[in-house]
Amino acid sequence: MDRGAQELPGTRLPDWLRLLPWLALLLLVVVQLTTPATVQLGFAFAVVPPLTSLVYGMLGTALVSGTLFGLLLMPAIRADDVTQGDLLAFSLIGAVSVLLAWLRARRDAQLVSVRTVAEAAQLAVLPPLPERVGPVRCGALYRAAERGTLVGGDLYDVQDGPYGVRAVVADVQGHGLAAVATVAALLGTFREAVLDEPELGGVAARLDRRLVVDAAGREGAEADVFATAVLVEFAPPRAGGEATVRVLSCGHPAPLLVTGEGAREVAVEPGSPLGLGLAEYRPPPVTTVALRPADVLLAHTDGVTEARDAEGAFYPLASRVPRHAGPPVELVREVWRDLSAYAGVIADDVALLALSAPDGSGAAAVAP
């Protein structure tokens, strides 16, 4: 599975920025030596230690500050207006800069620790997806809209159970860390329902009930929780090496069937989104699709199709999917590369899940 992990800002600086204090110090020395004595630049040297504290730790800042103080003691470099009192002020500025560097290093260490814990928690919610689940090959890609997060408001999962291999792709209201609790609840419910529910409609009903129960325990705007989802089930293979795939959509964009002739949307009859709190939830009808060994089923969230180019046009996924699908992992990566080139900045969560049954088998075991 491919994730959009982003490095924590401030934990890794480019090399040119780390050279900036030394370059500034060198520039000031050259200017001081080449300008007339009437030009006084002693005040400019005071800028170097605080600048260094932004890019170096205690030792680096102390080294630059010490080098600066030593240069100012040299008669050829020391300006005429720099007095003994000014030298004392420079030493105090250097000491304070070292302290600031120590405080910044502590803050960065705390941020790295928080980021590490957050990554572990998010990976526990949405662990990496293997390239094969039972007889089904998988390819998945996730990009969270919120910078520095691995999980947002989209989710996907593929599980092998007693009724075959089942998959879900869903889009929870909102994105970012605020939606992670709902994502975790839906994933846990889906993994249980895969083992217990003999029909996809029953899985959808369990997910709907989970959202309704969660919303009942919340107040204010947080109580308005709903999600769209598409459920997929690989049924026993047909004669001739074709796998039968059942698809159920709860207000979610229809998946694409990618073949050697191109890509087309699966003609599903969408039902209502999950979690609306209807008096009696009725799952939508299931659509059956024949999947040949070379075909790929590509499910996605609306972060893909609602991405816009510079002129405001939506991304036409079906017409831009590669005709020769290849392995599911390669397909989702090609779609992401094309989407990134098309839209530039993508403001919503993006989830892609590609599934295929290359050996013509869809379910490892099917209950009678």
Side-chain angles (χ1 to χ4, degrees):
M1 181 187 67
D2 195 358
R3 283 185 184 272
Q6 295 174 320
E7 191 169 274
L8 187 66
T11 58
R12 175 63 182 173
L13 297 174
D15 293 336
W16 68 266
L17 190 58
R18 297 179 64 83
L19 292 175
L20 186 59
W22 295 105
L23 294 176
L25 187 58
L26 177 62
L27 178 63
L28 288 173
V29 170
V30 172
V31 172
Q32 185 68 51
L33 292 174
T34 56
T35 54
T38 55
V39 179
Q40 305 297 334
L41 297 175
F43 68 92
F45 285 90
V47 179
V48 176
L51 175 65
T52 306
S53 68
L54 298 177
V55 295
Y56 281 113
M58 290 181 60
L59 294 179
T61 304
L63 179 60
V64 173
S65 300
T67 302
L68 170 64
F69 190 80
L71 290 173
L72 292 177
L73 292 178
M74 301 174 61
I77 297 177
R78 179 178 173 184
D80 295 337
D81 63 336
V82 177
T83 65
Q84 295 294 330
D86 293 332
L87 290 176
L88 177 61
F90 279 121
S91 64
L92 291 176
I93 291 174
V96 172
S97 299
V98 172
L99 177 61
L100 291 176
W102 176 72
L103 293 174
R104 184 190 58 80
R106 285 196 61 188
R107 184 208 62 181
D108 287 349
Q110 291 173 349
L111 289 177
V112 170
S113 177
V114 170
R115 173 62 187 269
T116 302
V117 173
E119 285 187 355
Q122 293 176 76
L123 287 173
V125 172
L126 194 62
L129 185 67
E131 293 189 11
R132 195 176 187 97
V133 176
V136 177
R137 295 181 66 182
C138 311
L141 183 142
Y142 194 102
R143 290 293 187 274
E146 187 169 317
R147 179 177 173 82
T149 62
L150 301 179
V151 179
D154 293 355
L155 64 97
Y156 54 75
D157 197 14
V158 183
Q159 296 290 325
D160 191 3
Y163 305 103
V165 176
R166 288 172 170 174
V168 61
V169 175
D171 186 354
V172 175
Q173 176 196 24
H175 55 77
L177 295 178
V180 173
T182 304
V183 169
L186 283 178
L187 284 171
T189 302
F190 170 75
R191 290 161 186 166
E192 290 182 359
V194 164
L195 302 176
D196 300 334
E197 297 292 338
E199 300 294 336
L200 276 184
V203 177
R206 291 271 290 267
L207 295 176
D208 176 78
R209 185 177 64 181
R210 174 79 262 180
L211 287 180
V212 171
V213 170
D214 282 1
R218 303 183 183 185
E219 298 179 355
E222 293 185 354
D224 298 327
V225 179
F226 65 90
T228 64
V230 61
L231 298 171
V232 177
E233 177 185 273
F234 282 78
R238 288 181 175 180
E242 288 186 346
T244 301
V245 180
R246 301 188 181 104
V247 181
L248 183 152
S249 174
C250 302
H252 197 83
L256 300 181
L257 181 61
V258 184
T259 68
E261 292 77 33
R264 62 175 177 84
E265 284 191 352
V266 177
V268 297
E269 182 177 337
S272 59
L274 304 170
L276 296 182
L278 302 177
E280 181 181 357
Y281 178 77
R282 295 181 179 179
V286 174
T287 300
T288 302
V289 180
L291 194 69
R292 294 174 299 182
D295 296 343
V296 178
L297 191 71
L298 178 64
H300 59 89
T301 56
D302 59 9
V304 177
T305 52
E306 293 182 1
R308 300 172 182 260
D309 63 6
E311 298 179 355
F314 289 114
Y315 179 70
L317 175 61
S319 63
R320 296 179 70 101
V321 170
R323 178 165 296 185
H324 300 287
V329 172
E330 293 301 324
L331 175 63
V332 295
R333 289 177 179 170
E334 288 187 29
V335 171
W336 172 251
R337 284 193 292 265
D338 185 64
L339 175 62
S340 300
Y342 180 90
V345 177
I346 302 173
D348 198 1
D349 298 326
V350 169
L352 291 165
L353 177 63
L355 305 169
S356 71
D359 57 357
S361 177
V366 180

